[in-house]
Amino acid sequence: MNLFADIRALVIDCLTEMTTDGLLPDGLSFDNVAVEPPRDAAHGDMATNAAMVLAKPAKMKPRDIADALASRLAADARVNSADVAGPGFLNMRLDAGVWASVVHNALTNADFGKSDLGQGKRMNVEYVSANPTGPLHVGHTRGAVFGDALASLLAYAGYDVTREYYINDGGAQVDVLARSVYLRYLEAHGQEVTFEDGTYPGDYLIKAGEDLKAKVGDAYLDKGEEVWLEEVREFATDAMMTMIREDLASIGVKMDVFYSEKSLYGTGRIEAAIKDLDDKGLIYRGTLEPPKGKLPEDWEAREQTLFKSTDYGDDVDRPIQKSDGAWTYFAPDIAYHFDKVSRDFDALIDVFGADHGGYVKRMKAAVAALSGDSVPLDIKLTQLVKLYKNGEPFKMSKRAGTFIMLRDLVDEVGSDVTRFHMLTRKNDAPLDFDFDKVTEQSKDNPVFYVQYAHARVHSVLRKASEAGMDLSDLAGADLSLATHEAELALAAKMAEWPRLVEIAAKGHEPHRVAFYLYDLASELHALWNRGNDDVSLRFIQEDNVAASQAKIALIKAVSVVISHGLSILGVTPAEEMR
RNA sequence: GGACCGUUAGCUCAGCUGGAUAGAGCGCUGCCCUCCGAAGGCAGAGGCCAGAGGUUCGAAUCCUCUACGGUCCGCCA
């Protein structure tokens, strides 16, 4: 149930009626007619722009349309009044019974807020996809949290979502990993080793070296790469992926599919994808122009196999083979996306870090070409996370190994705080993460503020039960006993939930959920605080069970919405604060 | 040289895809504690939405240019 959709349907019905009655010309499109909450609540409960949108195509004055529409809207039982305002806005006030039905719905219908927007379409969300060369760090964490919340949001909005992780286990970086683990393996055998440039010096590989020793003993000692490289590579990537899975699990991320890049090699799948493009006339041998501006010192023109991505909006064509004939990283990426397309997904989403911004156009070009423009690909970039401690920037150095890992975040502030905070910013804006502020228990901290709202409701429920109040049938409460404007304002904010889900899902913007929850929590706290001054607004009315039930039904419904929202974000709805 | 992202209150940021007088928190100013929790509450001040053009009934939102900041730019993934 989406109240805004219901009222919009009413508006459309009235407009259709007006057309039949000859008040509007035939053939008008009502697509742009919107029903929204007014910017200023004083204007009413709902507003429609119908008159203004239709004025031009109908060649009529907005006010004339608005007046005729207003009287028809007001005839509906749900609409108490409809007034024309400003340039032609139509403001409606809704009957208290409408809000009561929203509350009732939230309490009885477990799917309140869920949407059929997605219509069961199959959506693939690829996120994290960090190289299997070490544990996840802060940047990955943001991508993981964002992708996961987006996937949950889309599922809530009616899509059939697959969460997917692409393991980059086919490139040179896993050779580097293997050599680094080999060094740790030698170390485990008591040898002195040095980590040159081009190896990974991180401590996290020590255990992998020891485990390798436990597995193969001294079999690889004093042997050349040709003996051990392939097996160590396999061993090491497995170890890293196990670590990464644990990292992901610690912030509640669980993938449906782990897709191996390596599985594309030697199976003809890359070749098949390239052939598909070739058949479309998009592959050719050629030489790229040198990049403008500062030239790399060793730049020289070379003939390569190129993908004509400029046909699909890219700036230059992209190489898919190196000059020695080996595939570039782009080739398996094409094959991977070809695979996604051929798995019959209706739409794809990739979540990348900001440093991959340069690959957006070519990836979109590839998918457009491979799918014949039938499968949309949206690429969401997550910007950098800036860490602070005590208000001071937290310096990270890759060389010194002082990288902040996902595990550090979870150990320090917990999964809930990490997740919520990372979703309080748009994905494409940089994010500040202050270790001290995010754990602060005050209203300045949105994480706490929202959880506190949920906990407060449960605190009331506990108190009411302790007082011997019967709460077994809140859905049956007489909500006409809770119609103070402050109570209706809370119900109205809650009624926005289903609409917000659709807006957020359409835009692939889970942060909207976080901001909405903050607003909703804010309304709840405001109502609570008014109870301090106005005893009649307190939720528990000692001498009036029916009124108490109505008020508690209202806030219980709010807590249900909060818990739905939090679960989309992957945050636990706390029932009490410590 | 180019691509992408950003620029909104002193600070940190929202702004529902083109709608009404641009919002929230912090900070600032002034009031308010014998309270279902003051780990606060209420109110107020504070804006040329980076700048300039354009599109139209109407622009923070769309287009063009400029400025500043970030990310990136063949044979690394």
Side-chain angles (χ1 to χ4, degrees), chain A residues 204-230:
Chain A
Y204 58 86
L205 292 180
I206 293 175
K207 184 170 183 303
E210 288 167 353
D211 289 350
L212 183 61
K213 177 187 170 189
K215 186 184 175 202
V216 303
D218 55 10
Y220 296 155
L221 286 180
D222 306 316
K223 297 283 182 357
E225 277 191 11
E226 68 284 354
V227 175
W228 51 261
L229 185 67
E230 197 174 324

PDB file of all heavy atoms in Angstrom, chain A residues 204-230:
ATOM      1  N   TYR A 204      49.736  -9.813   7.154  1.00  0.00           N
ATOM      2  CA  TYR A 204      48.623 -10.759   7.006  1.00  0.00           C
ATOM      3  C   TYR A 204      49.014 -12.000   6.210  1.00  0.00           C
ATOM      4  O   TYR A 204      48.268 -12.975   6.178  1.00  0.00           O
ATOM      5  CB  TYR A 204      47.424 -10.064   6.362  1.00  0.00           C
ATOM      6  CG  TYR A 204      47.735  -9.458   4.997  1.00  0.00           C
ATOM      7  CD1 TYR A 204      47.642 -10.220   3.841  1.00  0.00           C
ATOM      8  CD2 TYR A 204      48.131  -8.132   4.880  1.00  0.00           C
ATOM      9  CE1 TYR A 204      47.942  -9.668   2.607  1.00  0.00           C
ATOM     10  CE2 TYR A 204      48.438  -7.577   3.653  1.00  0.00           C
ATOM     11  CZ  TYR A 204      48.340  -8.350   2.514  1.00  0.00           C
ATOM     12  OH  TYR A 204      48.645  -7.814   1.300  1.00  0.00           O
ATOM     13  N   LEU A 205      50.196 -11.947   5.550  1.00  0.00           N
ATOM     14  CA  LEU A 205      50.606 -13.126   4.775  1.00  0.00           C
ATOM     15  C   LEU A 205      51.451 -14.110   5.586  1.00  0.00           C
ATOM     16  O   LEU A 205      51.745 -15.215   5.122  1.00  0.00           O
ATOM     17  CB  LEU A 205      51.384 -12.685   3.528  1.00  0.00           C
ATOM     18  CG  LEU A 205      50.545 -11.949   2.479  1.00  0.00           C
ATOM     19  CD1 LEU A 205      51.400 -11.547   1.290  1.00  0.00           C
ATOM     20  CD2 LEU A 205      49.368 -12.804   2.018  1.00  0.00           C
ATOM     21  N   ILE A 206      51.827 -13.691   6.802  1.00  0.00           N
ATOM     22  CA  ILE A 206      52.664 -14.574   7.620  1.00  0.00           C
ATOM     23  C   ILE A 206      51.980 -15.920   7.839  1.00  0.00           C
ATOM     24  O   ILE A 206      52.565 -16.991   7.651  1.00  0.00           O
ATOM     25  CB  ILE A 206      52.972 -13.915   8.992  1.00  0.00           C
ATOM     26  CG1 ILE A 206      53.849 -12.692   8.774  1.00  0.00           C
ATOM     27  CG2 ILE A 206      53.644 -14.915   9.923  1.00  0.00           C
ATOM     28  CD1 ILE A 206      54.116 -11.880  10.033  1.00  0.00           C
ATOM     29  N   LYS A 207      50.703 -15.827   8.187  1.00  0.00           N
ATOM     30  CA  LYS A 207      49.970 -17.060   8.466  1.00  0.00           C
ATOM     31  C   LYS A 207      49.857 -17.932   7.211  1.00  0.00           C
ATOM     32  O   LYS A 207      49.979 -19.166   7.288  1.00  0.00           O
ATOM     33  CB  LYS A 207      48.580 -16.739   9.009  1.00  0.00           C
ATOM     34  CG  LYS A 207      47.817 -17.983   9.415  1.00  0.00           C
ATOM     35  CD  LYS A 207      46.544 -17.673  10.174  1.00  0.00           C
ATOM     36  CE  LYS A 207      45.858 -18.950  10.616  1.00  0.00           C
ATOM     37  NZ  LYS A 207      45.545 -19.846   9.487  1.00  0.00           N
ATOM     38  N   ALA A 208      49.669 -17.259   6.069  1.00  0.00           N
ATOM     39  CA  ALA A 208      49.573 -18.016   4.820  1.00  0.00           C
ATOM     40  C   ALA A 208      50.873 -18.773   4.570  1.00  0.00           C
ATOM     41  O   ALA A 208      50.857 -19.939   4.136  1.00  0.00           O
ATOM     42  CB  ALA A 208      49.252 -17.085   3.655  1.00  0.00           C
ATOM     43  N   GLY A 209      52.016 -18.126   4.868  1.00  0.00           N
ATOM     44  CA  GLY A 209      53.310 -18.790   4.710  1.00  0.00           C
ATOM     45  C   GLY A 209      53.431 -19.988   5.629  1.00  0.00           C
ATOM     46  O   GLY A 209      53.897 -21.064   5.219  1.00  0.00           O
ATOM     47  N   GLU A 210      52.976 -19.814   6.867  1.00  0.00           N
ATOM     48  CA  GLU A 210      53.039 -20.928   7.826  1.00  0.00           C
ATOM     49  C   GLU A 210      52.124 -22.069   7.411  1.00  0.00           C
ATOM     50  O   GLU A 210      52.474 -23.250   7.485  1.00  0.00           O
ATOM     51  CB  GLU A 210      52.648 -20.425   9.224  1.00  0.00           C
ATOM     52  CG  GLU A 210      53.730 -19.555   9.845  1.00  0.00           C
ATOM     53  CD  GLU A 210      53.244 -18.799  11.085  1.00  0.00           C
ATOM     54  OE1 GLU A 210      52.017 -18.863  11.364  1.00  0.00           O
ATOM     55  OE2 GLU A 210      54.076 -18.153  11.736  1.00  0.00           O
ATOM     56  N   ASP A 211      50.944 -21.694   6.944  1.00  0.00           N
ATOM     57  CA  ASP A 211      49.993 -22.713   6.500  1.00  0.00           C
ATOM     58  C   ASP A 211      50.534 -23.477   5.299  1.00  0.00           C
ATOM     59  O   ASP A 211      50.320 -24.686   5.176  1.00  0.00           O
ATOM     60  CB  ASP A 211      48.647 -22.062   6.132  1.00  0.00           C
ATOM     61  CG  ASP A 211      47.907 -21.574   7.359  1.00  0.00           C
ATOM     62  OD1 ASP A 211      48.340 -21.907   8.485  1.00  0.00           O
ATOM     63  OD2 ASP A 211      46.913 -20.844   7.204  1.00  0.00           O
ATOM     64  N   LEU A 212      51.222 -22.732   4.438  1.00  0.00           N
ATOM     65  CA  LEU A 212      51.800 -23.392   3.268  1.00  0.00           C
ATOM     66  C   LEU A 212      52.860 -24.401   3.698  1.00  0.00           C
ATOM     67  O   LEU A 212      52.935 -25.511   3.178  1.00  0.00           O
ATOM     68  CB  LEU A 212      52.393 -22.349   2.313  1.00  0.00           C
ATOM     69  CG  LEU A 212      52.976 -22.890   1.011  1.00  0.00           C
ATOM     70  CD1 LEU A 212      51.906 -23.609   0.180  1.00  0.00           C
ATOM     71  CD2 LEU A 212      53.604 -21.762   0.181  1.00  0.00           C
ATOM     72  N   LYS A 213      53.639 -23.971   4.682  1.00  0.00           N
ATOM     73  CA  LYS A 213      54.668 -24.881   5.201  1.00  0.00           C
ATOM     74  C   LYS A 213      54.012 -26.131   5.796  1.00  0.00           C
ATOM     75  O   LYS A 213      54.453 -27.259   5.544  1.00  0.00           O
ATOM     76  CB  LYS A 213      55.488 -24.174   6.282  1.00  0.00           C
ATOM     77  CG  LYS A 213      56.534 -25.072   6.924  1.00  0.00           C
ATOM     78  CD  LYS A 213      57.203 -24.383   8.109  1.00  0.00           C
ATOM     79  CE  LYS A 213      58.063 -25.368   8.887  1.00  0.00           C
ATOM     80  NZ  LYS A 213      58.541 -24.791  10.159  1.00  0.00           N
ATOM     81  N   ALA A 214      52.947 -25.907   6.551  1.00  0.00           N
ATOM     82  CA  ALA A 214      52.251 -27.040   7.155  1.00  0.00           C
ATOM     83  C   ALA A 214      51.704 -27.977   6.091  1.00  0.00           C
ATOM     84  O   ALA A 214      51.610 -29.195   6.292  1.00  0.00           O
ATOM     85  CB  ALA A 214      51.106 -26.531   8.048  1.00  0.00           C
ATOM     86  N   LYS A 215      51.364 -27.418   4.967  1.00  0.00           N
ATOM     87  CA  LYS A 215      50.754 -28.236   3.919  1.00  0.00           C
ATOM     88  C   LYS A 215      51.786 -29.002   3.086  1.00  0.00           C
ATOM     89  O   LYS A 215      51.622 -30.190   2.824  1.00  0.00           O
ATOM     90  CB  LYS A 215      49.929 -27.336   2.998  1.00  0.00           C
ATOM     91  CG  LYS A 215      49.126 -28.122   1.957  1.00  0.00           C
ATOM     92  CD  LYS A 215      48.394 -27.200   0.991  1.00  0.00           C
ATOM     93  CE  LYS A 215      47.699 -28.003  -0.105  1.00  0.00           C
ATOM     94  NZ  LYS A 215      47.430 -27.214  -1.291  1.00  0.00           N
ATOM     95  N   VAL A 216      52.844 -28.275   2.686  1.00  0.00           N
ATOM     96  CA  VAL A 216      53.780 -28.926   1.744  1.00  0.00           C
ATOM     97  C   VAL A 216      55.143 -29.229   2.349  1.00  0.00           C
ATOM     98  O   VAL A 216      56.028 -29.754   1.650  1.00  0.00           O
ATOM     99  CB  VAL A 216      53.971 -28.064   0.470  1.00  0.00           C
ATOM    100  CG1 VAL A 216      52.635 -27.802  -0.205  1.00  0.00           C
ATOM    101  CG2 VAL A 216      54.698 -26.761   0.794  1.00  0.00           C
ATOM    102  N   GLY A 217      55.321 -28.849   3.622  1.00  0.00           N
ATOM    103  CA  GLY A 217      56.619 -29.116   4.250  1.00  0.00           C
ATOM    104  C   GLY A 217      57.738 -28.373   3.537  1.00  0.00           C
ATOM    105  O   GLY A 217      57.600 -27.185   3.261  1.00  0.00           O
ATOM    106  N   ASP A 218      58.807 -29.061   3.201  1.00  0.00           N
ATOM    107  CA  ASP A 218      59.941 -28.374   2.578  1.00  0.00           C
ATOM    108  C   ASP A 218      59.995 -28.611   1.071  1.00  0.00           C
ATOM    109  O   ASP A 218      61.009 -28.391   0.431  1.00  0.00           O
ATOM    110  CB  ASP A 218      61.247 -28.804   3.231  1.00  0.00           C
ATOM    111  CG  ASP A 218      61.413 -30.320   3.203  1.00  0.00           C
ATOM    112  OD1 ASP A 218      60.608 -30.986   2.521  1.00  0.00           O
ATOM    113  OD2 ASP A 218      62.342 -30.820   3.872  1.00  0.00           O
ATOM    114  N   ALA A 219      58.879 -29.025   0.507  1.00  0.00           N
ATOM    115  CA  ALA A 219      58.856 -29.403  -0.907  1.00  0.00           C
ATOM    116  C   ALA A 219      59.259 -28.278  -1.853  1.00  0.00           C
ATOM    117  O   ALA A 219      59.803 -28.542  -2.922  1.00  0.00           O
ATOM    118  CB  ALA A 219      57.463 -29.917  -1.285  1.00  0.00           C
ATOM    119  N   TYR A 220      58.992 -27.040  -1.473  1.00  0.00           N
ATOM    120  CA  TYR A 220      59.261 -25.935  -2.401  1.00  0.00           C
ATOM    121  C   TYR A 220      60.580 -25.214  -2.084  1.00  0.00           C
ATOM    122  O   TYR A 220      60.938 -24.262  -2.751  1.00  0.00           O
ATOM    123  CB  TYR A 220      58.135 -24.907  -2.371  1.00  0.00           C
ATOM    124  CG  TYR A 220      56.798 -25.427  -2.855  1.00  0.00           C
ATOM    125  CD1 TYR A 220      55.607 -24.839  -2.426  1.00  0.00           C
ATOM    126  CD2 TYR A 220      56.724 -26.486  -3.764  1.00  0.00           C
ATOM    127  CE1 TYR A 220      54.390 -25.304  -2.873  1.00  0.00           C
ATOM    128  CE2 TYR A 220      55.504 -26.956  -4.208  1.00  0.00           C
ATOM    129  CZ  TYR A 220      54.328 -26.361  -3.765  1.00  0.00           C
ATOM    130  OH  TYR A 220      53.122 -26.817  -4.204  1.00  0.00           O
ATOM    131  N   LEU A 221      61.287 -25.672  -1.048  1.00  0.00           N
ATOM    132  CA  LEU A 221      62.535 -25.001  -0.688  1.00  0.00           C
ATOM    133  C   LEU A 221      63.555 -25.167  -1.812  1.00  0.00           C
ATOM    134  O   LEU A 221      63.661 -26.239  -2.410  1.00  0.00           O
ATOM    135  CB  LEU A 221      63.096 -25.586   0.610  1.00  0.00           C
ATOM    136  CG  LEU A 221      62.376 -25.195   1.899  1.00  0.00           C
ATOM    137  CD1 LEU A 221      63.046 -25.860   3.099  1.00  0.00           C
ATOM    138  CD2 LEU A 221      62.338 -23.680   2.074  1.00  0.00           C
ATOM    139  N   ASP A 222      64.275 -24.075  -2.082  1.00  0.00           N
ATOM    140  CA  ASP A 222      65.330 -24.103  -3.099  1.00  0.00           C
ATOM    141  C   ASP A 222      64.830 -24.552  -4.468  1.00  0.00           C
ATOM    142  O   ASP A 222      65.563 -25.175  -5.233  1.00  0.00           O
ATOM    143  CB  ASP A 222      66.491 -25.030  -2.664  1.00  0.00           C
ATOM    144  CG  ASP A 222      67.007 -24.644  -1.308  1.00  0.00           C
ATOM    145  OD1 ASP A 222      67.186 -23.429  -1.077  1.00  0.00           O
ATOM    146  OD2 ASP A 222      67.191 -25.546  -0.464  1.00  0.00           O
ATOM    147  N   LYS A 223      63.577 -24.252  -4.764  1.00  0.00           N
ATOM    148  CA  LYS A 223      63.042 -24.608  -6.071  1.00  0.00           C
ATOM    149  C   LYS A 223      62.688 -23.332  -6.835  1.00  0.00           C
ATOM    150  O   LYS A 223      62.382 -22.301  -6.241  1.00  0.00           O
ATOM    151  CB  LYS A 223      61.777 -25.477  -5.922  1.00  0.00           C
ATOM    152  CG  LYS A 223      62.031 -26.818  -5.244  1.00  0.00           C
ATOM    153  CD  LYS A 223      62.673 -27.778  -6.205  1.00  0.00           C
ATOM    154  CE  LYS A 223      62.935 -29.168  -5.662  1.00  0.00           C
ATOM    155  NZ  LYS A 223      62.632 -29.476  -4.289  1.00  0.00           N
ATOM    156  N   GLY A 224      62.732 -23.391  -8.131  1.00  0.00           N
ATOM    157  CA  GLY A 224      62.380 -22.238  -8.958  1.00  0.00           C
ATOM    158  C   GLY A 224      60.878 -22.085  -9.070  1.00  0.00           C
ATOM    159  O   GLY A 224      60.112 -22.992  -8.724  1.00  0.00           O
ATOM    160  N   GLU A 225      60.485 -20.925  -9.572  1.00  0.00           N
ATOM    161  CA  GLU A 225      59.065 -20.612  -9.696  1.00  0.00           C
ATOM    162  C   GLU A 225      58.302 -21.650 -10.507  1.00  0.00           C
ATOM    163  O   GLU A 225      57.137 -21.934 -10.225  1.00  0.00           O
ATOM    164  CB  GLU A 225      58.879 -19.243 -10.387  1.00  0.00           C
ATOM    165  CG  GLU A 225      59.001 -18.064  -9.451  1.00  0.00           C
ATOM    166  CD  GLU A 225      58.544 -16.783 -10.098  1.00  0.00           C
ATOM    167  OE1 GLU A 225      57.934 -16.806 -11.185  1.00  0.00           O
ATOM    168  OE2 GLU A 225      58.806 -15.732  -9.499  1.00  0.00           O
ATOM    169  N   GLU A 226      58.988 -22.185 -11.529  1.00  0.00           N
ATOM    170  CA  GLU A 226      58.292 -23.119 -12.408  1.00  0.00           C
ATOM    171  C   GLU A 226      57.751 -24.313 -11.631  1.00  0.00           C
ATOM    172  O   GLU A 226      56.782 -24.945 -12.032  1.00  0.00           O
ATOM    173  CB  GLU A 226      59.218 -23.566 -13.562  1.00  0.00           C
ATOM    174  CG  GLU A 226      60.400 -24.445 -13.168  1.00  0.00           C
ATOM    175  CD  GLU A 226      61.551 -23.668 -12.503  1.00  0.00           C
ATOM    176  OE1 GLU A 226      61.479 -22.422 -12.443  1.00  0.00           O
ATOM    177  OE2 GLU A 226      62.501 -24.309 -12.023  1.00  0.00           O
ATOM    178  N   VAL A 227      58.366 -24.563 -10.475  1.00  0.00           N
ATOM    179  CA  VAL A 227      57.902 -25.674  -9.660  1.00  0.00           C
ATOM    180  C   VAL A 227      56.676 -25.297  -8.820  1.00  0.00           C
ATOM    181  O   VAL A 227      55.703 -26.040  -8.749  1.00  0.00           O
ATOM    182  CB  VAL A 227      59.036 -26.168  -8.720  1.00  0.00           C
ATOM    183  CG1 VAL A 227      58.511 -27.261  -7.783  1.00  0.00           C
ATOM    184  CG2 VAL A 227      60.229 -26.632  -9.533  1.00  0.00           C
ATOM    185  N   TRP A 228      56.737 -24.111  -8.193  1.00  0.00           N
ATOM    186  CA  TRP A 228      55.728 -23.828  -7.167  1.00  0.00           C
ATOM    187  C   TRP A 228      54.718 -22.727  -7.505  1.00  0.00           C
ATOM    188  O   TRP A 228      53.661 -22.624  -6.865  1.00  0.00           O
ATOM    189  CB  TRP A 228      56.408 -23.489  -5.844  1.00  0.00           C
ATOM    190  CG  TRP A 228      57.481 -22.418  -5.903  1.00  0.00           C
ATOM    191  CD1 TRP A 228      58.823 -22.621  -5.962  1.00  0.00           C
ATOM    192  CD2 TRP A 228      57.284 -20.997  -5.911  1.00  0.00           C
ATOM    193  NE1 TRP A 228      59.498 -21.433  -6.004  1.00  0.00           N
ATOM    194  CE2 TRP A 228      58.578 -20.402  -5.964  1.00  0.00           C
ATOM    195  CE3 TRP A 228      56.170 -20.167  -5.848  1.00  0.00           C
ATOM    196  CZ2 TRP A 228      58.773 -19.010  -5.979  1.00  0.00           C
ATOM    197  CZ3 TRP A 228      56.356 -18.789  -5.866  1.00  0.00           C
ATOM    198  CH2 TRP A 228      57.642 -18.226  -5.939  1.00  0.00           C
ATOM    199  N   LEU A 229      55.051 -21.883  -8.498  1.00  0.00           N
ATOM    200  CA  LEU A 229      54.236 -20.667  -8.665  1.00  0.00           C
ATOM    201  C   LEU A 229      52.736 -20.950  -8.794  1.00  0.00           C
ATOM    202  O   LEU A 229      51.915 -20.357  -8.098  1.00  0.00           O
ATOM    203  CB  LEU A 229      54.721 -19.863  -9.874  1.00  0.00           C
ATOM    204  CG  LEU A 229      53.992 -18.513 -10.045  1.00  0.00           C
ATOM    205  CD1 LEU A 229      54.330 -17.573  -8.897  1.00  0.00           C
ATOM    206  CD2 LEU A 229      54.344 -17.857 -11.372  1.00  0.00           C
ATOM    207  N   GLU A 230      52.407 -21.870  -9.683  1.00  0.00           N
ATOM    208  CA  GLU A 230      50.985 -22.092  -9.944  1.00  0.00           C
ATOM    209  C   GLU A 230      50.250 -22.594  -8.709  1.00  0.00           C
ATOM    210  O   GLU A 230      49.164 -22.122  -8.362  1.00  0.00           O
ATOM    211  CB  GLU A 230      50.840 -23.090 -11.097  1.00  0.00           C
ATOM    212  CG  GLU A 230      49.450 -23.069 -11.694  1.00  0.00           C
ATOM    213  CD  GLU A 230      49.356 -23.955 -12.918  1.00  0.00           C
ATOM    214  OE1 GLU A 230      50.345 -24.023 -13.677  1.00  0.00           O
ATOM    215  OE2 GLU A 230      48.300 -24.576 -13.107  1.00  0.00           O
TER     216      GLU A 230
END
